[in-house]
Amino acid sequence: MSPTQKAAQSVDRVLTSRPTVCHIVGFGDSSVDYILRFWITDPTGGLTNIRGNVFLALWDAFAANNISIPFPQREVKLLDPE
């Protein structure tokens, strides 16, 4: 099981009896894009808050595994108007 899957399953409302699945769906300029699918015990309890809790668990897992999120660097050159 990947650190991403473990992080999702560490959240209280995420079911551990159903497998968490992570699929890479693309590569961006400074990213690896993936979909993380997980089952929760009580969808009537809200979806936004569980997403937030899973995102925080992922953030902690990235930090624990020395994974940083790259941000694109831009260079701006001012041209002489003459």
Side-chain angles (χ1 to χ4, degrees):
M1 183 179 300
S2 73
T4 303
Q5 292 167 306
K6 288 179 187 176
Q9 289 192 336
S10 72
V11 176
D12 290 340
R13 291 175 50 203
V14 175
L15 290 173
T16 56
S17 60
R18 303 283 306 257
T20 300
V21 180
C22 183
H23 296 289
I24 294 177
V25 294
F27 296 97
D29 289 340
S30 299
S31 67
V32 177
D33 304 330
Y34 63 90
I35 294 174
L36 180 63
R37 297 182 190 256
F38 53 88
W39 295 87
I40 60 175
T41 58
D42 58 342
T44 57
L47 299 178
T48 303
N49 56 359
I50 190 69
R51 281 188 201 121
N53 291 341
V54 170
F55 285 151
L56 290 173
L58 290 172
W59 186 264
D60 292 342
F62 288 164
N65 288 280
N66 297 317
I67 298 170
S68 61
I69 298 173
F71 294 99
Q73 302 294 316
R74 303 286 189 244
E75 183 176 326
V76 177
K77 291 185 179 182
L78 299 175
L79 300 176
D80 190 9
E82 296 177 7

